[in-house]
Coordinates of all heavy atoms in Angstrom, one line a residue:
M303 N -11.3 14.9 0.0 CA -11.1 13.4 -0.1 C -9.8 13.0 -0.7 O -9.5 13.4 -1.8 CB -12.3 12.9 -1.0 CG -12.4 11.4 -0.9 SD -13.9 10.9 -1.8 CE -15.2 11.6 -0.8
P304 N -9.0 12.3 0.0 CA -7.6 12.0 -0.5 C -7.7 11.2 -1.8 O -8.5 10.3 -1.9 CB -7.0 11.2 0.6 CG -7.8 11.5 1.8 CD -9.2 11.8 1.4
R305 N -6.8 11.5 -2.7 CA -6.6 10.8 -3.9 C -5.3 10.1 -3.8 O -4.2 10.6 -3.4 CB -6.7 11.7 -5.1 CG -8.1 12.2 -5.3 CD -8.2 13.5 -6.2 NE -7.3 13.5 -7.3 CZ -7.7 13.4 -8.6 NH1 -9.0 13.2 -8.8 NH2 -6.8 13.4 -9.6
I306 N -5.4 8.8 -4.2 CA -4.2 7.9 -4.1 C -3.9 7.3 -5.5 O -4.8 6.7 -6.1 CB -4.4 6.8 -3.1 CG1 -4.5 7.4 -1.7 CG2 -3.2 5.8 -3.1 CD1 -4.9 6.5 -0.6
T307 N -2.7 7.3 -5.9 CA -2.3 6.8 -7.1 C -1.6 5.4 -7.0 O -0.6 5.3 -6.2 CB -1.4 7.7 -8.0 OG1 -2.0 8.9 -8.2 CG2 -0.9 7.1 -9.3
F308 N -2.1 4.4 -7.7 CA -1.6 3.0 -7.7 C -0.8 2.9 -9.0 O -1.4 3.0 -10.1 CB -2.6 2.0 -7.5 CG -3.3 2.0 -6.2 CD1 -4.3 2.8 -5.9 CD2 -2.8 1.1 -5.2 CE1 -4.9 2.8 -4.6 CE2 -3.4 1.0 -4.0 CZ -4.4 1.9 -3.6
I309 N 0.5 2.5 -8.9 CA 1.3 2.4 -10.1 C 1.7 0.9 -10.3 O 2.2 0.3 -9.4 CB 2.6 3.3 -10.0 CG1 2.1 4.7 -9.7 CG2 3.3 3.1 -11.4 CD1 3.3 5.6 -9.4
Q310 N 1.3 0.4 -11.5 CA 1.6 -1.1 -11.7 C 3.0 -1.2 -12.2 O 3.7 -0.2 -12.7 CB 0.7 -1.6 -12.7 CG -0.8 -1.7 -12.2 CD -0.9 -2.8 -11.2 OE1 -0.2 -3.9 -11.2 NE2 -1.9 -2.6 -10.2
P311 N 3.6 -2.4 -12.2 CA 5.0 -2.7 -12.7 C 5.2 -2.2 -14.1 O 6.3 -1.8 -14.4 CB 5.1 -4.2 -12.5 CG 4.2 -4.6 -11.5 CD 2.9 -3.7 -11.6
D312 N 4.1 -2.2 -14.9 CA 4.3 -1.7 -16.3 C 4.2 -0.2 -16.3 O 4.2 0.4 -17.5 CB 3.3 -2.4 -17.3 CG 1.9 -1.9 -16.9 OD1 1.6 -1.1 -16.0 OD2 0.9 -2.4 -17.6
G313 N 4.1 0.5 -15.3 CA 4.0 2.0 -15.2 C 2.6 2.6 -15.3 O 2.5 3.8 -15.3
S314 N 1.6 1.7 -15.6 CA 0.3 2.2 -15.7 C -0.2 2.7 -14.3 O 0.1 2.2 -13.2 CB -0.7 1.2 -16.2 OG -0.7 0.0 -15.3
R315 N -0.9 3.8 -14.3 CA -1.3 4.6 -13.1 C -2.8 4.6 -13.0 O -3.5 4.8 -14.0 CB -0.7 5.9 -13.1 CG 0.7 6.0 -13.4 CD 1.2 7.4 -13.8 NE 1.1 8.4 -12.7 CZ 1.9 8.6 -11.8 NH1 3.1 8.0 -11.8 NH2 1.8 9.5 -10.9
T316 N -3.2 4.4 -11.8 CA -4.7 4.6 -11.5 C -4.9 5.5 -10.4 O -4.4 5.2 -9.3 CB -5.4 3.2 -11.2 OG1 -5.1 2.2 -12.2 CG2 -6.9 3.2 -11.1
V317 N -5.6 6.5 -10.5 CA -5.9 7.5 -9.5 C -7.3 7.2 -8.9 O -8.2 7.2 -9.6 CB -5.7 8.9 -10.0 CG1 -5.9 9.9 -8.8 CG2 -4.5 9.2 -10.7
L318 N -7.3 7.1 -7.6 CA -8.5 6.7 -6.9 C -8.8 7.6 -5.7 O -7.8 7.9 -5.1 CB -8.5 5.2 -6.4 CG -8.1 4.2 -7.5 CD1 -7.9 2.8 -6.8 CD2 -9.3 4.0 -8.4
E319 N -10.1 7.8 -5.5 CA -10.5 8.6 -4.4 C -10.7 7.7 -3.2 O -11.3 6.7 -3.4 CB -11.7 9.5 -4.7 CG -11.5 10.6 -5.7 CD -12.5 11.7 -5.7 OE1 -13.6 11.5 -5.0 OE2 -12.2 12.7 -6.3
A320 N -10.3 8.1 -2.1 CA -10.3 7.2 -0.9 C -11.7 7.0 -0.3 O -12.0 6.0 0.3 CB -9.3 7.7 0.2
G321 N -12.6 8.0 -0.5 CA -13.9 7.8 0.0 C -13.8 7.6 1.6 O -13.1 8.3 2.3
E322 N -14.5 6.7 2.1 CA -14.6 6.3 3.5 C -13.6 5.2 3.8 O -13.7 4.6 4.9 CB -16.0 5.9 3.9 CG -17.0 7.0 3.7 CD -16.7 8.2 4.5 OE1 -16.3 8.2 5.6 OE2 -16.8 9.4 3.8
D323 N -12.8 4.7 2.8 CA -11.9 3.7 3.0 C -10.9 4.0 4.1 O -10.3 5.0 4.2 CB -11.1 3.4 1.8 CG -12.0 3.0 0.6 OD1 -12.8 2.1 0.7 OD2 -11.9 3.7 -0.4
P324 N -10.7 3.1 5.1 CA -9.9 3.4 6.3 C -8.4 3.3 5.9 O -7.5 3.9 6.6 CB -10.3 2.3 7.3 CG -10.9 1.2 6.6 CD -11.6 1.9 5.3
T325 N -8.0 2.4 5.0 CA -6.6 2.3 4.7 C -6.4 2.2 3.2 O -7.2 2.1 2.3 CB -6.1 0.9 5.2 OG1 -6.6 -0.2 4.4 CG2 -6.5 0.7 6.7
V326 N -5.2 2.4 2.7 CA -4.8 2.4 1.4 C -5.1 1.0 0.8 O -5.6 1.0 -0.3 CB -3.2 2.6 1.2 CG1 -2.7 2.4 -0.2 CG2 -2.9 4.0 1.7
M327 N -5.0 -0.1 1.5 CA -5.4 -1.4 1.0 C -6.9 -1.3 0.7 O -7.3 -1.9 -0.5 CB -5.2 -2.5 2.0 CG -5.7 -3.9 1.6 SD -7.4 -4.2 1.9 CE -7.4 -4.5 3.7
H328 N -7.7 -0.8 1.5 CA -9.2 -0.8 1.2 C -9.5 0.0 -0.1 O -10.3 -0.4 -0.9 CB -10.0 -0.3 2.4 CG -10.0 -1.2 3.6 ND1 -9.1 -1.2 4.6 CD2 -11.0 -2.1 3.9 CE1 -9.4 -2.1 5.5 NE2 -10.6 -2.7 5.1
V329 N -8.8 1.1 -0.3 CA -8.9 1.8 -1.5 C -8.7 0.9 -2.7 O -9.5 0.9 -3.7 CB -8.0 3.1 -1.5 CG1 -8.3 3.8 -2.9 CG2 -8.3 4.0 -0.3
G330 N -7.6 0.3 -2.7 CA -7.1 -0.5 -3.8 C -8.1 -1.7 -4.1 O -8.5 -2.0 -5.2
V331 N -8.4 -2.4 -3.1 CA -9.4 -3.6 -3.1 C -10.7 -3.2 -3.7 O -11.3 -3.8 -4.5 CB -9.4 -4.3 -1.9 CG1 -10.5 -5.4 -1.9 CG2 -8.1 -5.0 -1.5
R332 N -11.2 -2.1 -3.1 CA -12.5 -1.6 -3.5 C -12.6 -1.4 -5.1 O -13.7 -1.5 -5.7 CB -13.0 -0.4 -2.8 CG -14.4 0.1 -3.0 CD -14.8 1.0 -1.9 NE -14.1 2.3 -1.9 CZ -14.3 3.4 -2.6 NH1 -15.4 3.3 -3.5 NH2 -13.6 4.4 -2.4
H333 N -11.5 -1.0 -5.6 CA -11.5 -0.7 -7.0 C -10.8 -1.8 -7.8 O -10.4 -1.5 -9.0 CB -10.7 0.7 -7.3 CG -11.5 1.8 -6.8 ND1 -11.4 2.3 -5.5 CD2 -12.4 2.6 -7.3 CE1 -12.2 3.3 -5.3 NE2 -12.8 3.5 -6.4
N334 N -10.6 -2.9 -7.3 CA -10.0 -4.1 -8.0 C -8.6 -3.8 -8.6 O -8.3 -4.2 -9.7 CB -10.9 -4.6 -9.1 CG -12.3 -5.0 -8.4 OD1 -12.3 -5.8 -7.5 ND2 -13.4 -4.5 -9.0
V335 N -7.8 -3.1 -7.8 CA -6.4 -2.9 -8.3 C -5.7 -4.2 -8.4 O -5.8 -5.0 -7.5 CB -5.7 -2.0 -7.3 CG1 -4.2 -1.9 -7.6 CG2 -6.3 -0.5 -7.4
A336 N -5.0 -4.4 -9.6 CA -4.4 -5.7 -9.8 C -3.2 -5.9 -8.9 O -2.6 -4.9 -8.4 CB -3.9 -5.7 -11.3
R337 N -2.9 -7.1 -8.7 CA -1.7 -7.5 -7.9 C -1.8 -7.1 -6.3 O -0.8 -6.8 -5.7 CB -0.4 -7.0 -8.4 CG -0.1 -7.6 -9.8 CD 1.3 -7.1 -10.3 NE 1.6 -7.8 -11.5 CZ 1.2 -7.4 -12.7 NH1 0.3 -6.3 -12.8 NH2 1.4 -8.0 -13.8
L338 N -3.1 -6.9 -6.0 CA -3.3 -6.5 -4.5 C -4.4 -7.4 -3.9 O -5.5 -6.9 -3.6 CB -3.7 -5.0 -4.5 CG -3.5 -4.3 -3.2 CD1 -2.1 -4.1 -2.9 CD2 -4.2 -3.0 -3.2
P339 N -4.1 -8.7 -3.8 CA -5.1 -9.6 -3.3 C -5.6 -9.3 -1.8 O -6.7 -9.5 -1.5 CB -4.5 -11.0 -3.5 CG -3.0 -10.8 -3.4 CD -2.8 -9.4 -4.0
A340 N -4.7 -8.9 -1.0 CA -5.0 -8.6 0.4 C -5.9 -9.6 1.0 O -7.0 -9.5 1.6 CB -5.7 -7.3 0.5
D341 N -5.3 -10.9 1.0 CA -6.1 -12.1 1.3 C -6.8 -12.1 2.8 O -7.8 -12.7 3.0 CB -5.2 -13.3 1.2 CG -4.8 -13.6 -0.3 OD1 -5.7 -13.3 -1.1 OD2 -3.7 -14.0 -0.6
C342 N -6.0 -11.4 3.7 CA -6.5 -11.5 5.1 C -7.5 -10.4 5.4 O -8.0 -10.3 6.5 CB -5.4 -11.6 6.1 SG -4.6 -10.1 6.4
G343 N -7.7 -9.5 4.5 CA -8.7 -8.4 4.7 C -8.2 -7.4 5.7 O -9.0 -6.7 6.3
G344 N -6.9 -7.4 5.9 CA -6.4 -6.2 6.7 C -6.1 -6.7 8.1 O -5.9 -5.8 9.0
Q345 N -5.9 -8.0 8.3 CA -5.7 -8.5 9.7 C -4.2 -8.6 10.0 O -3.9 -9.3 11.0 CB -6.4 -9.9 9.9 CG -7.9 -9.8 9.7 CD -8.5 -8.8 10.6 OE1 -8.3 -8.8 11.9 NE2 -9.3 -7.8 10.1
L346 N -3.4 -8.1 9.2 CA -1.9 -8.2 9.3 C -1.4 -9.7 9.4 O -0.7 -10.1 10.3 CB -1.5 -7.5 10.6 CG 0.0 -7.0 10.8 CD1 0.5 -6.3 9.6 CD2 0.2 -6.3 12.0
A347 N -2.0 -10.5 8.5 CA -1.8 -11.9 8.6 C -1.4 -12.6 7.2 O -1.2 -13.8 7.2 CB -3.0 -12.6 9.0
C348 N -1.2 -11.8 6.2 CA -1.0 -12.4 4.9 C 0.2 -11.8 4.0 O 0.7 -12.5 3.2 CB -2.3 -12.4 4.0 SG -2.7 -10.7 3.4
A349 N 0.6 -10.6 4.3 CA 1.6 -9.9 3.4 C 1.3 -10.0 2.0 O 2.2 -10.0 1.1 CB 2.9 -10.6 3.7
S350 N 0.1 -10.0 1.6 CA -0.4 -9.9 0.2 C -1.1 -8.6 -0.2 O -1.8 -8.4 -1.1 CB -1.3 -11.0 -0.3 OG -2.6 -10.9 0.4
C351 N -0.6 -7.6 0.6 CA -1.1 -6.2 0.3 C 0.0 -5.2 0.2 O -0.1 -4.1 0.4 CB -2.1 -5.7 1.4 SG -1.3 -5.6 3.0
M352 N 1.3 -5.8 -0.2 CA 2.4 -4.9 -0.1 C 2.5 -3.9 -1.2 O 2.0 -4.1 -2.3 CB 3.7 -5.8 -0.2 CG 4.0 -6.6 1.0 SD 5.6 -7.3 1.0 CE 5.5 -8.6 -0.2
V353 N 3.0 -2.7 -0.9 CA 3.2 -1.7 -1.8 C 4.6 -1.0 -1.6 O 5.1 -1.1 -0.4 CB 2.1 -0.5 -1.8 CG1 0.7 -1.1 -2.2 CG2 2.0 0.1 -0.4
D354 N 5.1 -0.3 -2.6 CA 6.3 0.5 -2.4 C 5.9 1.9 -2.4 O 5.4 2.4 -3.5 CB 7.3 0.2 -3.4 CG 8.0 -1.2 -3.3 OD1 8.4 -1.5 -2.2 OD2 8.0 -1.9 -4.3
V355 N 6.0 2.6 -1.3 CA 5.7 3.9 -1.3 C 6.6 4.8 -2.1 O 7.9 4.5 -2.0 CB 5.7 4.5 0.2 CG1 5.4 5.9 0.3 CG2 4.7 3.6 1.0
A356 N 6.1 5.7 -2.9 CA 7.0 6.5 -3.7 C 8.0 7.3 -2.9 O 7.6 7.7 -1.8 CB 6.1 7.4 -4.6
P357 N 9.2 7.4 -3.3 CA 10.2 8.0 -2.4 C 9.9 9.3 -1.8 O 10.1 9.6 -0.6 CB 11.4 8.2 -3.4 CG 11.3 7.0 -4.4 CD 9.8 6.9 -4.6
A358 N 9.1 10.2 -2.6 CA 8.7 11.6 -2.1 C 7.8 11.4 -0.9 O 7.6 12.3 -0.2 CB 8.1 12.3 -3.2
W359 N 7.1 10.3 -0.8 CA 6.2 10.1 0.3 C 6.6 9.3 1.5 O 5.8 9.1 2.4 CB 4.9 9.5 -0.3 CG 4.1 10.4 -1.2 CD1 4.2 10.6 -2.5 CD2 3.1 11.3 -0.7 NE1 3.4 11.6 -2.9 CE2 2.7 12.1 -1.8 CE3 2.6 11.6 0.6 CZ2 1.6 13.0 -1.6 CZ3 1.6 12.6 0.7 CH2 1.2 13.3 -0.4
I360 N 7.7 8.7 1.5 CA 8.1 7.7 2.5 C 8.1 8.4 3.9 O 7.6 7.9 4.9 CB 9.5 7.2 2.2 CG1 9.5 6.2 1.0 CG2 10.1 6.5 3.4 CD1 10.8 5.6 0.5
E361 N 8.6 9.7 4.0 CA 8.7 10.2 5.3 C 7.3 10.6 5.7 O 7.0 10.4 7.0 CB 9.5 11.6 5.1 CG 9.7 12.3 6.5 CD 10.7 13.5 6.4 OE1 11.4 13.6 5.4 OE2 10.7 14.3 7.4
C362 N 6.4 11.0 4.9 CA 5.0 11.4 5.3 C 4.3 10.2 5.8 O 3.6 10.2 6.7 CB 4.3 12.0 4.1 SG 2.6 12.5 4.5
V363 N 4.5 9.0 5.0 CA 3.7 7.8 5.4 C 4.3 7.2 6.6 O 3.6 6.6 7.4 CB 3.8 6.8 4.2 CG1 3.2 5.4 4.6 CG2 3.0 7.3 3.0
G364 N 5.6 7.2 6.8 CA 6.3 6.6 8.0 C 6.7 5.2 7.8 O 6.5 4.6 6.7
E365 N 7.4 4.7 8.8 CA 8.1 3.4 8.7 C 7.0 2.3 9.2 O 6.0 2.7 9.8 CB 9.2 3.3 9.8 CG 10.3 4.3 9.5 CD 11.1 3.8 8.3 OE1 11.4 2.6 8.2 OE2 11.5 4.7 7.5
P366 N 7.2 1.1 8.7 CA 6.3 0.0 9.3 C 6.4 -0.2 10.7 O 7.5 0.1 11.4 CB 6.9 -1.2 8.6 CG 7.8 -0.8 7.6 CD 8.3 0.5 7.9
G367 N 5.3 -0.5 11.3 CA 5.4 -0.9 12.7 C 6.2 -2.2 12.9 O 6.5 -2.8 12.0
P368 N 6.4 -2.6 14.2 CA 7.3 -3.7 14.4 C 6.7 -5.0 13.8 O 7.4 -5.8 13.2 CB 7.4 -3.9 16.0 CG 6.9 -2.5 16.5 CD 6.1 -1.9 15.4
D369 N 5.4 -5.3 14.1 CA 4.9 -6.6 13.5 C 4.8 -6.5 12.0 O 5.0 -7.6 11.3 CB 3.4 -6.7 14.1 CG 3.5 -7.1 15.6 OD1 4.5 -7.4 16.1 OD2 2.4 -6.9 16.1
E370 N 4.5 -5.4 11.5 CA 4.4 -5.2 10.0 C 5.8 -5.4 9.4 O 6.0 -6.1 8.4 CB 3.9 -3.8 9.7 CG 3.8 -3.5 8.2 CD 3.5 -2.1 7.9 OE1 3.1 -1.3 8.9 OE2 3.4 -1.6 6.7
G371 N 6.8 -4.8 10.0 CA 8.2 -5.0 9.5 C 8.6 -6.4 9.6 O 9.2 -6.9 8.6
D372 N 8.3 -7.1 10.6 CA 8.6 -8.5 10.7 C 8.0 -9.3 9.6 O 8.5 -10.3 9.0 CB 8.2 -9.1 12.1 CG 9.0 -8.6 13.3 OD1 10.1 -8.0 12.9 OD2 8.6 -8.8 14.4
M373 N 6.7 -9.0 9.3 CA 6.0 -9.7 8.3 C 6.6 -9.5 6.9 O 6.7 -10.4 6.1 CB 4.5 -9.3 8.4 CG 3.7 -10.1 7.3 SD 2.0 -9.9 7.6 CE 1.8 -10.9 9.1
I374 N 7.0 -8.3 6.7 CA 7.6 -8.0 5.3 C 8.9 -8.7 5.3 O 9.3 -9.3 4.3 CB 7.9 -6.4 5.3 CG1 6.5 -5.8 5.1 CG2 8.8 -6.1 4.1 CD1 6.6 -4.2 5.2
E375 N 9.7 -8.7 6.4 CA 11.0 -9.5 6.4 C 10.8 -11.0 6.2 O 11.6 -11.6 5.5 CB 11.8 -9.2 7.6 CG 13.1 -9.7 7.6 CD 14.1 -9.1 8.6 OE1 13.7 -8.2 9.3 OE2 15.3 -9.6 8.7
D376 N 9.8 -11.5 6.8 CA 9.5 -12.9 6.7 C 9.1 -13.2 5.2 O 9.5 -14.3 4.7 CB 8.3 -13.4 7.6 CG 8.7 -13.4 9.1 OD1 10.0 -13.4 9.3 OD2 7.8 -13.5 9.9
A377 N 8.4 -12.4 4.6 CA 7.9 -12.6 3.2 C 9.1 -12.4 2.2 O 9.2 -13.1 1.2 CB 6.8 -11.7 2.8
L378 N 10.0 -11.5 2.4 CA 11.0 -11.1 1.4 C 12.4 -11.3 1.8 O 13.3 -11.4 1.0 CB 10.9 -9.6 1.1 CG 9.6 -9.0 0.7 CD1 9.7 -7.5 0.5 CD2 9.2 -9.7 -0.6
G379 N 12.7 -11.6 3.1 CA 14.0 -11.9 3.6 C 14.7 -10.5 3.8 O 16.0 -10.6 4.2
S380 N 14.1 -9.4 3.7 CA 14.7 -8.1 3.9 C 13.5 -7.1 4.0 O 12.3 -7.5 3.9 CB 15.6 -7.7 2.7 OG 14.7 -7.5 1.5
R381 N 14.0 -5.9 4.3 CA 13.0 -4.8 4.6 C 13.3 -3.7 3.6 O 14.0 -2.7 4.0 CB 12.9 -4.4 6.0 CG 12.6 -5.4 7.0 CD 12.5 -4.8 8.4 NE 12.3 -5.9 9.4 CZ 11.7 -5.7 10.5 NH1 11.4 -4.5 10.9 NH2 11.7 -6.7 11.4
P382 N 12.8 -3.7 2.4 CA 13.3 -2.7 1.4 C 12.7 -1.4 1.9 O 11.6 -1.3 2.4 CB 12.5 -3.1 0.1 CG 12.2 -4.6 0.3 CD 12.1 -4.8 1.7
V383 N 13.5 -0.3 1.6 CA 13.0 1.0 2.0 C 11.8 1.3 1.3 O 11.7 1.2 0.1 CB 14.1 2.1 1.7 CG1 13.6 3.5 1.9 CG2 15.3 1.8 2.5
G384 N 10.8 1.9 2.0 CA 9.5 2.2 1.4 C 8.5 1.1 1.3 O 7.3 1.4 0.9
R385 N 8.9 -0.1 1.5 CA 7.9 -1.2 1.5 C 7.1 -1.2 2.6 O 7.5 -1.2 3.7 CB 8.7 -2.5 1.3 CG 7.8 -3.8 1.2 CD 7.0 -3.9 0.0 NE 7.7 -3.8 -1.3 CZ 7.9 -4.8 -2.1 NH1 7.4 -6.1 -1.7 NH2 8.5 -4.7 -3.2
R386 N 5.8 -1.2 2.4 CA 4.8 -1.2 3.4 C 3.6 -2.2 3.1 O 3.5 -2.6 1.9 CB 4.1 0.2 3.6 CG 5.0 1.3 4.1 CD 5.4 1.2 5.6 NE 4.2 0.8 6.4 CZ 3.5 1.8 7.1 NH1 3.9 3.0 7.0 NH2 2.5 1.5 7.9
L387 N 2.9 -2.6 4.2 CA 1.6 -3.4 4.0 C 0.6 -2.3 3.9 O 0.4 -1.6 4.8 CB 1.4 -4.4 5.1 CG 2.4 -5.5 5.4 CD1 2.1 -6.3 6.6 CD2 2.6 -6.4 4.1
S388 N -0.1 -2.3 2.8 CA -1.0 -1.2 2.6 C -2.1 -1.2 3.5 O -2.9 -0.1 3.7 CB -1.5 -1.2 1.0 OG -2.2 -2.3 0.7
C389 N -2.4 -2.4 4.1 CA -3.6 -2.4 5.1 C -3.1 -1.7 6.4 O -4.0 -1.5 7.3 CB -4.0 -3.8 5.4 SG -2.9 -4.8 6.3
Q390 N -1.9 -1.3 6.5 CA -1.4 -0.7 7.7 C -1.2 0.8 7.5 O -0.6 1.5 8.4 CB -0.1 -1.4 8.3 CG -0.3 -2.8 8.5 CD -1.4 -3.1 9.6 OE1 -1.3 -2.6 10.7 NE2 -2.4 -3.8 9.3
I391 N -1.5 1.3 6.3 CA -1.4 2.7 6.0 C -2.7 3.4 6.1 O -3.7 3.1 5.2 CB -0.8 3.0 4.6 CG1 0.5 2.3 4.4 CG2 -0.6 4.5 4.4 CD1 1.1 2.3 3.0
Q392 N -3.0 4.1 7.2 CA -4.2 4.8 7.4 C -4.4 5.9 6.5 O -3.6 6.7 6.3 CB -4.4 5.3 8.9 CG -4.1 4.2 9.9 CD -5.1 3.0 9.9 OE1 -6.3 3.3 9.8 NE2 -4.7 1.8 10.0
V393 N -5.6 6.0 5.8 CA -5.9 7.0 4.9 C -6.2 8.4 5.8 O -6.8 8.4 6.8 CB -7.1 6.8 4.1 CG1 -7.6 8.1 3.4 CG2 -6.9 5.7 3.1
S394 N -5.6 9.5 5.4 CA -5.9 10.8 6.0 C -5.7 11.9 4.9 O -5.1 11.6 3.9 CB -5.0 11.0 7.2 OG -3.7 11.3 6.7
E395 N -6.2 13.0 5.3 CA -6.0 14.1 4.3 C -4.6 14.4 4.0 O -4.2 14.9 2.9 CB -6.7 15.4 4.8 CG -8.3 15.3 4.7 CD -8.8 15.1 3.3 OE1 -8.1 15.6 2.4 OE2 -9.8 14.7 3.2
A396 N -3.7 14.1 4.9 CA -2.2 14.4 4.8 C -1.7 13.5 3.6 O -0.6 13.8 3.1 CB -1.5 14.0 6.1
L397 N -2.4 12.4 3.3 CA -1.9 11.5 2.2 C -2.6 11.9 0.8 O -2.4 11.0 -0.1 CB -2.3 10.0 2.6 CG -1.4 9.5 3.8 CD1 -1.7 8.1 3.9 CD2 0.0 9.9 3.8
D398 N -3.2 13.0 0.7 CA -3.8 13.3 -0.6 C -2.6 13.5 -1.5 O -1.7 14.3 -1.4 CB -4.6 14.7 -0.4 CG -5.3 15.0 -1.7 OD1 -5.7 14.2 -2.5 OD2 -5.4 16.2 -2.0
G399 N -2.7 12.7 -2.6 CA -1.7 12.8 -3.7 C -0.7 11.6 -3.6 O 0.2 11.5 -4.4
L400 N -0.9 10.8 -2.5 CA 0.1 9.7 -2.3 C 0.2 8.8 -3.6 O -0.8 8.5 -4.3 CB -0.5 8.8 -1.2 CG 0.3 7.5 -0.9 CD1 1.7 7.8 -0.4 CD2 -0.5 6.7 0.2
E401 N 1.4 8.4 -3.8 CA 1.7 7.4 -4.9 C 2.3 6.1 -4.3 O 3.3 6.2 -3.6 CB 2.6 8.0 -6.0 CG 2.0 9.2 -6.6 CD 2.9 9.7 -7.8 OE1 4.1 9.5 -7.8 OE2 2.4 10.4 -8.6
V402 N 1.8 5.0 -4.7 CA 2.3 3.7 -4.2 C 2.5 2.9 -5.5 O 1.7 2.9 -6.4 CB 1.4 3.0 -3.2 CG1 1.4 3.8 -1.9 CG2 0.1 2.7 -3.8
L403 N 3.6 2.1 -5.4 CA 3.9 1.1 -6.5 C 3.5 -0.3 -6.0 O 3.8 -0.7 -5.0 CB 5.4 1.2 -6.9 CG 5.9 2.5 -7.6 CD1 6.2 3.5 -6.5 CD2 7.0 2.2 -8.4
V404 N 2.7 -0.9 -6.9 CA 2.3 -2.3 -6.6 C 3.5 -3.2 -7.1 O 3.7 -3.2 -8.3 CB 1.0 -2.6 -7.2 CG1 0.5 -4.1 -6.8 CG2 -0.1 -1.6 -6.8
P405 N 4.0 -4.1 -6.3 CA 5.0 -4.9 -6.8 C 4.6 -6.1 -7.7 O 3.4 -6.4 -7.7 CB 5.6 -5.6 -5.4 CG 4.5 -5.5 -4.5 CD 3.7 -4.3 -4.8
E406 N 5.5 -6.6 -8.4 CA 5.2 -7.7 -9.4 C 4.6 -8.9 -8.7 O 3.6 -9.4 -9.1 CB 6.4 -8.1 -10.1 CG 6.3 -9.0 -11.2 CD 5.8 -8.3 -12.5 OE1 6.4 -7.3 -12.9 OE2 4.8 -8.8 -13.1
R407 N 5.2 -9.2 -7.5 CA 4.7 -10.3 -6.8 C 4.4 -9.9 -5.3 O 5.2 -9.1 -4.7 CB 5.7 -11.4 -6.8 CG 5.7 -12.2 -8.1 CD 6.7 -13.3 -8.1 NE 8.0 -12.9 -7.7 CZ 9.0 -13.7 -7.2 NH1 8.8 -15.0 -7.1 NH2 10.2 -13.2 -7.0
Q408 N 3.4 -10.5 -4.6 CA 3.2 -10.3 -3.2 C 3.9 -11.3 -2.4 O 4.4 -12.3 -3.0 CB 1.7 -10.3 -3.0 CG 0.9 -9.1 -3.6 CD 1.2 -7.8 -2.9 OE1 1.7 -7.8 -1.7 NE2 0.9 -6.7 -3.6
G409 N 3.8 -11.2 -1.1 CA 4.5 -12.2 -0.2 C 3.7 -13.4 -0.1 O 2.5 -13.5 -0.6
Ligands
FES499 S1 -4.3 -7.5 3.9 FE1 -3.3 -9.1 4.9 S2 -1.5 -8.2 5.8 FE2 -2.5 -6.6 4.7

């Protein structure tokens, strides 16, 4: 069962087991991770589920899809390296140990 670490802006870390959660967003929301409102419930319509993938994991997680990248750019005015919408990161065994940083503010 993949374990995912959510890191808050103050450096506090929460390690969570993904269980049956389909996406990284679902893992965080199910455990009430702070600063991750995910208002649209994963419909790619809110940009309030953003995370920064830890540098060591960026290649494994991959780049945002076109619509996701556009949404990030609309929210931030840029596309920071490693920034993803966590509802678009599918959980898999390959992501066991993944670390994501929750930004101070969402889009
Ligand atoms: S939860 Fe709304 S875009 Fe991810």
Side-chain angles (χ1 to χ4, degrees):
M303 189 174 296
R305 287 158 45 107
I306 297 171
T307 300
F308 292 82
I309 305 169
Q310 291 291 328
D312 67 359
S314 62
R315 303 164 68 89
T316 306
V317 182
L318 300 171
E319 292 199 349
E322 301 299 315
D323 301 303
T325 73
V326 170
M327 177 277 282
H328 285 87
V329 178
V331 167
R332 186 164 62 88
H333 291 90
N334 298 312
V335 167
R337 297 186 174 81
L338 199 68
D341 292 324
C342 79
Q345 300 302 306
L346 197 55
C348 73
S350 67
C351 63
M352 290 193 288
V353 295
D354 290 313
V355 175
W359 283 94
I360 289 175
E361 186 174 342
C362 182
V363 171
E365 298 288 320
D369 292 343
E370 180 186 355
D372 287 348
M373 183 165 286
I374 292 169
E375 187 163 354
D376 286 348
L378 302 177
S380 65
R381 300 186 187 204
V383 174
R385 180 62 60 103
R386 294 289 311 268
L387 298 178
S388 60
C389 71
Q390 302 301 303
I391 304 175
Q392 306 296 317
V393 169
S394 72
E395 287 297 333
L397 297 188
D398 185 30
L400 173 66
E401 295 184 340
V402 296
L403 293 83
V404 184
E406 189 79 48
R407 288 183 302 161
Q408 292 290 341

